[in-house]
mmCIF file of all heavy atoms in Angstrom:
data_model
loop_
_atom_site.group_PDB
_atom_site.id
_atom_site.type_symbol
_atom_site.label_atom_id
_atom_site.label_comp_id
_atom_site.label_asym_id
_atom_site.label_seq_id
_atom_site.Cartn_x
_atom_site.Cartn_y
_atom_site.Cartn_z
ATOM 1 N N VAL A 75 49.853 -51.808 32.230
ATOM 2 C CA VAL A 75 49.669 -51.061 30.979
ATOM 3 C C VAL A 75 51.017 -50.458 30.609
ATOM 4 O O VAL A 75 51.564 -49.623 31.328
ATOM 5 C CB VAL A 75 48.607 -49.953 31.144
ATOM 6 C CG1 VAL A 75 48.411 -49.220 29.820
ATOM 7 C CG2 VAL A 75 47.287 -50.539 31.625
ATOM 8 N N THR A 76 51.570 -50.908 29.496
ATOM 9 C CA THR A 76 52.888 -50.455 29.079
ATOM 10 C C THR A 76 52.846 -50.014 27.625
ATOM 11 O O THR A 76 51.847 -50.216 26.930
ATOM 12 C CB THR A 76 53.938 -51.575 29.273
ATOM 13 O OG1 THR A 76 55.238 -51.078 28.955
ATOM 14 C CG2 THR A 76 53.616 -52.798 28.404
ATOM 15 N N GLY A 77 53.932 -49.402 27.154
ATOM 16 C CA GLY A 77 53.981 -48.917 25.777
ATOM 17 C C GLY A 77 54.824 -47.669 25.672
ATOM 18 O O GLY A 77 55.432 -47.225 26.655
ATOM 19 N N GLN A 78 54.863 -47.097 24.496
ATOM 20 C CA GLN A 78 55.659 -45.900 24.269
ATOM 21 C C GLN A 78 55.007 -44.680 24.910
ATOM 22 O O GLN A 78 53.791 -44.639 25.095
ATOM 23 C CB GLN A 78 55.828 -45.661 22.767
ATOM 24 C CG GLN A 78 56.602 -46.747 22.033
ATOM 25 C CD GLN A 78 58.084 -46.762 22.377
ATOM 26 O OE1 GLN A 78 58.563 -45.965 23.190
ATOM 27 N NE2 GLN A 78 58.828 -47.674 21.761
ATOM 28 N N CYS A 79 55.815 -43.697 25.212
ATOM 29 C CA CYS A 79 55.298 -42.450 25.772
ATOM 30 C C CYS A 79 54.396 -41.769 24.745
ATOM 31 O O CYS A 79 54.702 -41.729 23.553
ATOM 32 C CB CYS A 79 56.468 -41.532 26.123
ATOM 33 S SG CYS A 79 55.963 -39.967 26.860
ATOM 34 N N GLY A 80 53.259 -41.272 25.212
ATOM 35 C CA GLY A 80 52.337 -40.571 24.333
ATOM 36 C C GLY A 80 51.374 -41.473 23.583
ATOM 37 O O GLY A 80 50.577 -40.992 22.774
ATOM 38 N N ALA A 81 51.425 -42.783 23.857
ATOM 39 C CA ALA A 81 50.552 -43.713 23.138
ATOM 40 C C ALA A 81 49.136 -43.731 23.693
ATOM 41 O O ALA A 81 48.229 -44.229 23.036
ATOM 42 C CB ALA A 81 51.139 -45.121 23.179
ATOM 43 N N GLY A 82 48.944 -43.198 24.903
ATOM 44 C CA GLY A 82 47.604 -43.172 25.473
ATOM 45 C C GLY A 82 47.415 -44.152 26.624
ATOM 46 O O GLY A 82 46.293 -44.576 26.902
ATOM 47 N N LYS A 83 48.509 -44.505 27.307
ATOM 48 C CA LYS A 83 48.416 -45.441 28.429
ATOM 49 C C LYS A 83 47.520 -44.896 29.535
ATOM 50 O O LYS A 83 46.661 -45.607 30.075
ATOM 51 C CB LYS A 83 49.818 -45.737 29.001
ATOM 52 C CG LYS A 83 50.790 -46.378 28.031
ATOM 53 C CD LYS A 83 52.042 -46.874 28.721
ATOM 54 C CE LYS A 83 52.861 -45.765 29.366
ATOM 55 N NZ LYS A 83 53.457 -44.855 28.377
ATOM 56 N N SER A 84 47.708 -43.638 29.883
ATOM 57 C CA SER A 84 46.938 -43.040 30.974
ATOM 58 C C SER A 84 45.453 -42.962 30.647
ATOM 59 O O SER A 84 44.598 -43.232 31.497
ATOM 60 C CB SER A 84 47.478 -41.639 31.297
ATOM 61 O OG SER A 84 48.828 -41.696 31.704
ATOM 62 N N SER A 85 45.144 -42.598 29.408
ATOM 63 C CA SER A 85 43.732 -42.523 28.999
ATOM 64 C C SER A 85 43.077 -43.896 29.051
ATOM 65 O O SER A 85 41.920 -44.036 29.454
ATOM 66 C CB SER A 85 43.619 -41.944 27.584
ATOM 67 O OG SER A 85 44.010 -40.587 27.562
ATOM 68 N N LEU A 86 43.820 -44.923 28.638
ATOM 69 C CA LEU A 86 43.289 -46.279 28.686
ATOM 70 C C LEU A 86 43.021 -46.697 30.126
ATOM 71 O O LEU A 86 41.987 -47.294 30.436
ATOM 72 C CB LEU A 86 44.262 -47.249 28.024
ATOM 73 C CG LEU A 86 43.857 -48.727 28.056
ATOM 74 C CD1 LEU A 86 42.525 -48.943 27.337
ATOM 75 C CD2 LEU A 86 44.956 -49.598 27.447
ATOM 76 N N ILE A 87 43.943 -46.374 31.022
ATOM 77 C CA ILE A 87 43.769 -46.697 32.447
ATOM 78 C C ILE A 87 42.520 -46.010 32.985
ATOM 79 O O ILE A 87 41.733 -46.611 33.719
ATOM 80 C CB ILE A 87 45.021 -46.284 33.247
ATOM 81 C CG1 ILE A 87 46.161 -47.263 32.968
ATOM 82 C CG2 ILE A 87 44.732 -46.229 34.745
ATOM 83 C CD1 ILE A 87 47.485 -46.866 33.575
ATOM 84 N N ASN A 88 42.332 -44.756 32.642
ATOM 85 C CA ASN A 88 41.142 -44.038 33.117
ATOM 86 C C ASN A 88 39.862 -44.678 32.584
ATOM 87 O O ASN A 88 38.857 -44.774 33.302
ATOM 88 C CB ASN A 88 41.217 -42.567 32.691
ATOM 89 C CG ASN A 88 42.292 -41.807 33.449
ATOM 90 O OD1 ASN A 88 42.695 -42.194 34.540
ATOM 91 N ND2 ASN A 88 42.788 -40.727 32.862
ATOM 92 N N ALA A 101 44.494 -40.931 36.144
ATOM 93 C CA ALA A 101 45.880 -40.983 35.690
ATOM 94 C C ALA A 101 46.188 -39.735 34.871
ATOM 95 O O ALA A 101 45.357 -39.269 34.098
ATOM 96 C CB ALA A 101 46.105 -42.242 34.857
ATOM 97 N N GLU A 127 50.467 -48.384 35.686
ATOM 98 C CA GLU A 127 51.055 -47.716 34.522
ATOM 99 C C GLU A 127 52.564 -47.863 34.610
ATOM 100 O O GLU A 127 53.209 -47.344 35.537
ATOM 101 C CB GLU A 127 50.662 -46.239 34.473
ATOM 102 C CG GLU A 127 51.197 -45.545 33.230
ATOM 103 C CD GLU A 127 50.692 -44.120 33.092
ATOM 104 O OE1 GLU A 127 50.066 -43.613 34.049
ATOM 105 O OE2 GLU A 127 50.928 -43.515 32.030
ATOM 106 N N LEU A 128 53.135 -48.571 33.642
ATOM 107 C CA LEU A 128 54.573 -48.818 33.643
ATOM 108 C C LEU A 128 55.303 -47.740 32.851
ATOM 109 O O LEU A 128 54.738 -47.166 31.913
ATOM 110 C CB LEU A 128 54.871 -50.193 33.033
ATOM 111 C CG LEU A 128 54.106 -51.378 33.629
ATOM 112 C CD1 LEU A 128 54.625 -52.683 33.032
ATOM 113 C CD2 LEU A 128 54.214 -51.418 35.143
ATOM 114 N N PRO A 129 56.545 -47.458 33.219
ATOM 115 C CA PRO A 129 57.320 -46.478 32.449
ATOM 116 C C PRO A 129 57.454 -46.930 30.996
ATOM 117 O O PRO A 129 57.456 -48.132 30.704
ATOM 118 C CB PRO A 129 58.684 -46.480 33.150
ATOM 119 C CG PRO A 129 58.423 -47.039 34.504
ATOM 120 C CD PRO A 129 57.304 -48.006 34.349
ATOM 121 N N SER A 130 57.543 -45.982 30.087
ATOM 122 C CA SER A 130 57.677 -46.344 28.680
ATOM 123 C C SER A 130 59.031 -46.985 28.429
ATOM 124 O O SER A 130 59.980 -46.815 29.191
ATOM 125 C CB SER A 130 57.515 -45.105 27.780
ATOM 126 O OG SER A 130 58.649 -44.271 27.895
ATOM 127 N N PHE A 154 48.754 -54.940 28.868
ATOM 128 C CA PHE A 154 48.337 -54.185 27.701
ATOM 129 C C PHE A 154 49.586 -53.541 27.111
ATOM 130 O O PHE A 154 50.293 -52.801 27.813
ATOM 131 C CB PHE A 154 47.352 -53.069 28.064
ATOM 132 C CG PHE A 154 45.973 -53.542 28.398
ATOM 133 C CD1 PHE A 154 45.589 -53.723 29.717
ATOM 134 C CD2 PHE A 154 45.051 -53.799 27.401
ATOM 135 C CE1 PHE A 154 44.317 -54.154 30.029
ATOM 136 C CE2 PHE A 154 43.778 -54.228 27.704
ATOM 137 C CZ PHE A 154 43.404 -54.414 29.026
ATOM 138 N N VAL A 156 50.428 -50.787 24.646
ATOM 139 C CA VAL A 156 49.696 -49.692 24.005
ATOM 140 C C VAL A 156 50.577 -49.045 22.946
ATOM 141 O O VAL A 156 51.725 -48.682 23.203
ATOM 142 C CB VAL A 156 49.261 -48.640 25.046
ATOM 143 C CG1 VAL A 156 48.390 -47.577 24.390
ATOM 144 C CG2 VAL A 156 48.508 -49.303 26.191
ATOM 145 N N THR A 184 45.826 -47.373 19.793
ATOM 146 C CA THR A 184 45.015 -46.201 20.119
ATOM 147 C C THR A 184 44.997 -45.204 18.950
ATOM 148 O O THR A 184 45.707 -45.366 17.961
ATOM 149 C CB THR A 184 45.564 -45.510 21.375
ATOM 150 O OG1 THR A 184 46.908 -45.077 21.115
ATOM 151 C CG2 THR A 184 45.563 -46.459 22.570
ATOM 152 N N ASN A 231 40.986 -42.833 21.841
ATOM 153 C CA ASN A 231 41.204 -42.313 23.192
ATOM 154 C C ASN A 231 40.078 -41.393 23.641
ATOM 155 O O ASN A 231 40.006 -41.024 24.808
ATOM 156 C CB ASN A 231 42.526 -41.530 23.265
ATOM 157 C CG ASN A 231 43.727 -42.427 23.063
ATOM 158 O OD1 ASN A 231 43.914 -42.969 21.981
ATOM 159 N ND2 ASN A 231 44.531 -42.581 24.090
#
Side-chain angles (χ1 to χ4, degrees):
V75 181
T76 184
Q78 296 290 1
C79 181
K83 299 191 297 293
S84 299
S85 293
L86 178 60
I87 286 173
N88 290 337
E127 183 174 9
L128 307 186
S130 72
F154 286 97
V156 185
T184 61
N231 294 66

